[in-house]
Each structure stands twice: as C-alpha cells, then as structure tokens.
Amino acid sequence: MLGTIVNTATIIIGSAIGATMRQGISEKYRKVMFDALGLACIVLGVNASLSNMPKSEYPVLFIASLVIGIIVGTKLDWAGKLERYEARHHHPDSEKPSLVQGLTTGCLLYCIGTFSIVGPVLSALSPSAGWTFGESQNTFLYTNATLDLFTSAILAATYGWGMILAAPILFCWQSLFYFVAYFFRSAMPEEMRVEISIVGGVLILCSGLSILNLKDMKTINYLPSLLVPVLFYLIVYVFR
C-alpha cells in the first residue's frame, strides 16, 4: 500500500502547489495552459487507445462498452447533476473553467494507464506486500506518482483547489486493485487491462475535446463504460 499512499500524497502536494501558483498566473497564461492541457489529453488518449488495440482479443468490445456506458451514464445524468450543483454554488462566469470537467479529466489521467492499474497489483503480490521503499514491485507506482505530481500541479493551476478531491478517488481506485490481488493472490488478467486502457483512452480523448471547446462530450457520463470490460471478462471466466 505504500506506493498508493505515496501516489495519493503527490497529487495532494501537486494540487496545493498548482492552486497556490494560480493566484499569480494571469488569465492570458491560464488560457494557454488550458489549451495545452486539452492538446495533451487528446494525444494521451489516442496513444492509450491505439497502442492497446492490437492486443485486444475482442476489437468491438470497446465500442460496446462506450455505447452501453453512455446509455447508463445518460440515464443517471451525472454530468447534469454535477453541473447544476456547480451552478448553485458558484457565480456564473463563462470564462471560468468547470471544476467538474477538471476533476473528470484529472481522475482519468491519474487512474487510466498501466502504472496505475498494474502498479497496485504488483505491490500486493510482492513478498512484503509493498510496504518497503526499496521494493522493485513499487517502481510502477513511484513512477506514476512522479508523473502525477506535475500533472496535478498543472491541473490545479487551471481549475483551483478543488482538484485535491481527485486524490481520494485515486486512492480508492488503486486500493481496489491492491486488495483484489492481495486476497486472491493473482494479478488482473492482461486482457482486461488492455480493454480498460482502450476505453479509458477514448474517455481521455473526450476530455481533451471538451477542454478545447471543440465538443461538449459530457465525459463523466461515459464513466460506466469502464465497468463493461470488467463485467464482460468476469462472465467469460465464470463460463470458461
């Protein structure tokens, strides 16, 4: 668990640094940082999806995941509920970046990727259960923590102090994989990780499009898509 705790702490520290710096950054520079973040999300999303597609056992699974996910997400209307909540608690300001959008983007960037999924599994399967700084099994999580330190600072410089809320979400996400691997003593099937990464890459791409105001994708409504590959492979392994 040490790797996950370190990763969570770096997001808190990075967010605090970025939010503090935000006060000294003019609107002009916040705008260009905002655009750069959108472009980065598009590149990262495309890379995550395309690099994993050749490894997919079921090439159409990600399409089914997106369709099912957006139907469920639209029915639940998470985006609408959060937008209405934010509108009630903030003064209208069309130039102000949406914290809902920021948290969605941040959580996807922090949680979707090999480091953040495989890292806690390897940590749980290590002989010392991942509580030693020197354990090589924590390398993925320490690397992810370093990346998230800088990413969280940039996000908080754009969206503000609310980005710290992404830290407990990352902690719960990585803890889920950690404890599943710890108690069942087996790693997540590689096939499942591949499908989650493909869907996650598409969602990061959606965030980039929204940030650049090219298309309001309401990315948070797509989040149920991430559960579809998990449920699919659970069914496959039960009946295999």
Side-chain angles (χ1 to χ4, degrees):
M1 283 295 290
L2 181 60
T4 292
I5 293 172
V6 170
N7 201 164
T8 303
T10 57
I11 291 177
I12 295 174
I13 294 170
S15 297
I17 293 173
T20 301
M21 291 172 52
R22 185 171 188 252
Q23 306 304 318
I25 301 176
S26 68
E27 184 61 33
K28 178 176 71 173
Y29 291 106
R30 278 207 291 267
K31 177 65 170 61
V32 295
M33 287 176 61
F34 199 54
D35 291 341
L37 178 61
L39 291 172
C41 286
I42 289 177
V43 172
L44 291 171
V46 170
N47 179 68
S49 294
L50 293 184
S51 63
N52 283 284
M53 279 185 181
K55 309 172 190 174
S56 175
E57 289 187 332
Y58 305 96
V60 299
L61 179 57
F62 87 96
I63 300 175
S65 299
L66 291 171
V67 172
I68 295 172
I70 191 57
I71 290 174
V72 173
T74 300
K75 177 66 176 177
L76 296 173
D77 192 27
W78 288 345
K81 291 173 181 175
L82 288 172
E83 286 169 1
R84 288 190 291 273
Y85 174 84
E86 191 173 35
R88 287 198 303 269
H89 291 79
H90 294 84
H91 295 293
D93 186 353
S94 59
E95 296 299 319
K96 182 180 179 180
S98 167
L99 178 58
V100 171
Q101 185 182 75
L103 283 172
T104 303
T105 302
C107 291
L108 287 170
L109 289 174
Y110 301 149
C111 297
I112 302 301
T114 301
F115 290 165
S116 198
I117 296 175
V118 178
V121 172
L122 293 178
S123 179
L125 296 175
S126 68
S128 62
W131 284 96
T132 305
F133 270 105
E135 284 292 334
S136 61
Q137 286 84 353
N138 273 324
T139 300
F140 274 15
L141 289 175
Y142 296 150
T143 303
N144 201 58
T146 304
L147 296 172
D148 289 349
L149 176 66
F150 293 101
T151 304
S152 59
I154 294 172
L155 286 168
T158 302
Y159 295 100
W161 284 97
M163 289 305 302
I164 285 182
L165 296 175
I169 295 174
L170 172 92
F171 181 82
C172 293
W173 172 263
Q174 291 188 358
S175 295
L176 172 65
F177 293 117
Y178 178 92
F179 284 113
V180 167
Y182 183 82
F183 288 112
F184 291 97
R185 306 309 296 172
S186 61
M188 169 188 284
E190 175 65 12
E191 301 89 343
M192 187 188 298
R193 185 201 67 76
V194 166
E195 300 299 338
I196 291 175
S197 296
I198 293 173
V199 176
V202 175
L203 300 196
I204 294 173
L205 171 61
C206 289
S207 289
L209 295 175
S210 296
I211 289 172
L212 293 173
N213 290 320
L214 297 177
K215 172 72 175 176
D216 183 7
M217 299 299 298
K218 300 190 182 301
T219 310
I220 195 169
N221 282 346
Y222 278 91
L223 292 182
S225 301
L226 294 169
L227 294 176
V228 176
V230 177
L231 296 175
F232 175 81
Y233 275 99
L234 285 176
I235 294 172
V236 167
Y237 283 113
V238 166
F239 291 99
R240 177 172 290 180

